[in-house]
Every structure is written in C-alpha cells, then in structure tokens.
Amino acid sequence: MRPFIFLFFVIFSTSLLAQGPPSAPMNVFFEQSAVMVSGVSRGEKIAIFSVAREYGNYRSRIVRREAIETDADSDGVVRYALDGDVPLRSVWAVVDLATGRLRLAAPEGFAIKEVQFPGNGLRAGTPGQLNRLELQRGFVEVFFARPGVGAWSITAYDGSKVDADGELNGRFSMPIDRMVAIGQSGPTPDHVRGQDIVVVFDTASLEVFAVGGQR
C-alpha cells in the first residue's frame, strides 16, 4: 500500500473506533421512478450521487444526478424521486452525512463494477494533507463527501480545465478544492481528511472505486 493511502486509512480507522458501530444498516432500494434509502440517521441529511448511461435518439449519453436530501419526518427513510424511470445502467452512491456510512447500489439486473481504489490515486501536496486526485482514466465523475458538512462533485478528464497540467498525457491531476458544492454544502474542502469519502465513476466502463466511508 502506498504511504499516502496508508496514512488516510490509519486516520480513517481511528475515526471509526471513536464513533462506534452504526445503529442500523443503510440500504438502497429502487422503485420505478424513485430511489428509496432506509436506515439513515433520523432527521438527518444524506448525499446522493449517480452516474447513468441512458439511450435515446439512437445514441447513448452519460447522465449525472446529485442531491442532498433530508429525512424530514425522522422515520429513517428518504425517497429521492426522478423525473422518469430509474435507468437500468446506473450506479448510485449514498452517504449518510451524520455518520459517514456509504452505500453503493445499482438496479436489479445491472451489476456494480467496483474496483480497488488506485494506491496512488490520492496524493499529498503538503506534508500530511492529501489534496490532489491523480488518475490514469479518460473521463470520470468524482463525488466527495465530508460527514457533518456536505458533499461536492466534479466532471474531470485528461486535458480539461480542472487538470492541473492541462495536457493530454494519459492522466489528470486535480486539486480537491476544484470541486463544486452539491446543494448548500458550502466551500469545498482543500484536502482529504480521516472521515472523508471519495467515490470515482469511470463513465466509459461504469466502474466505480471508493475510499473511506463505513460499509
């Protein structure tokens, strides 16, 4: 394991021990035109992020969905309604923002392709602070959540304006603070710390890899 990722897991594991076990498992269910999340912290917020491959007019397109939803009636269940049917070829990440629990899910009939988070995917620009995401992937959607604070996201690809080197060289290096707030999450953090969650979706393969978060 690379030293920077090892440092992240040491800090993250210590945070989990301090928190103790979650009170109930969090589960994601799919209705025809909605996503149901049960076992969330009562009265608290969750962050939802999804990448889908949808077909129409004889071509496919990538559709990103994101939201901050609140358990308004404090029953531990949140329903996220879509304008149309839940896409079959979609992958979803849900984070309980009170506890840091992470759930990855996909509709029945579409398997999640979760791969290991790259050992050097998070890098440090200053001692002890992981503040850059560096990947050898063509086109990705990045989702970042910080329990108790909020969530952020961004579309990133090699040579894009968020690529630090700005060159087409087979990889991109993105400062964490380039991401954009989801809902009213506020300013983007400038580095990754112990309880943070980073989920990356490869839009070509719909592979997903994540670091952090209670499972």
Side-chain angles (χ1 to χ4, degrees):
M1 184 177 289
R2 300 298 179 90
F4 296 135
I5 296 298
F6 177 75
L7 173 63
F8 178 86
F9 278 113
V10 168
I11 298 172
F12 176 71
S13 299
T14 303
S15 299
L16 288 187
L17 289 174
Q19 284 184 350
S23 57
M26 184 169 66
N27 292 302
V28 179
F29 307 94
F30 296 93
E31 298 180 344
Q32 181 173 340
S33 58
V35 179
M36 298 287 293
V37 186
S38 66
V40 306
S41 298
R42 296 179 183 273
E44 300 292 343
K45 295 179 180 180
I46 63 171
I48 298 175
F49 190 88
S50 170
V51 174
R53 183 176 297 279
E54 301 184 13
Y55 293 89
N57 297 324
Y58 305 101
R59 63 186 181 89
S60 67
R61 61 180 181 141
I62 294 295
V63 178
R64 184 178 82 178
R65 294 177 175 86
E66 59 186 28
I68 302 290
E69 298 287 334
T70 303
D71 177 22
D73 55 5
S74 297
D75 64 352
V77 178
V78 173
R79 184 176 187 270
Y80 175 62
L82 279 65
D83 292 335
D85 292 350
V86 174
L88 171 63
R89 296 174 178 81
S90 60
V91 183
W92 298 75
V94 179
V95 172
D96 185 321
L97 290 175
T99 63
R101 285 180 290 173
L102 167 67
R103 186 77 167 90
L104 299 177
E108 184 177 358
F110 187 74
I112 298 175
K113 303 174 185 176
E114 185 174 4
V115 297
Q116 186 175 3
F117 199 95
N120 59 352
L122 287 172
R123 292 180 176 265
T126 56
Q129 291 191 343
L130 302 171
N131 59 10
R132 285 189 298 135
L133 181 67
E134 190 165 299
L135 298 170
Q136 293 183 343
R137 294 270 175 164
F139 201 112
V140 299
E141 297 287 351
V142 184
F143 169 62
F144 179 97
R146 174 166 289 177
V149 181
W152 301 262
S153 67
I154 199 165
T155 300
Y157 55 93
D158 182 26
S160 66
K161 63 182 181 179
V162 300
D163 185 359
D165 63 25
E167 298 179 0
L168 290 170
N169 53 11
R171 63 181 175 84
F172 69 86
S173 178
M174 185 196 74
I176 294 297
D177 61 8
R178 295 285 183 91
M179 289 188 283
V180 179
I182 299 175
Q184 303 298 316
S185 294
T188 309
D190 60 4
H191 68 280
V192 179
R193 65 189 189 191
Q195 297 181 24
D196 292 345
I197 298 143
V198 181
V199 186
V200 180
F201 300 77
D202 186 312
T203 59
S205 63
L206 288 186
E207 290 180 329
V208 58
F209 41 100
V211 64
Q214 301 181 49
R215 298 293 190 104

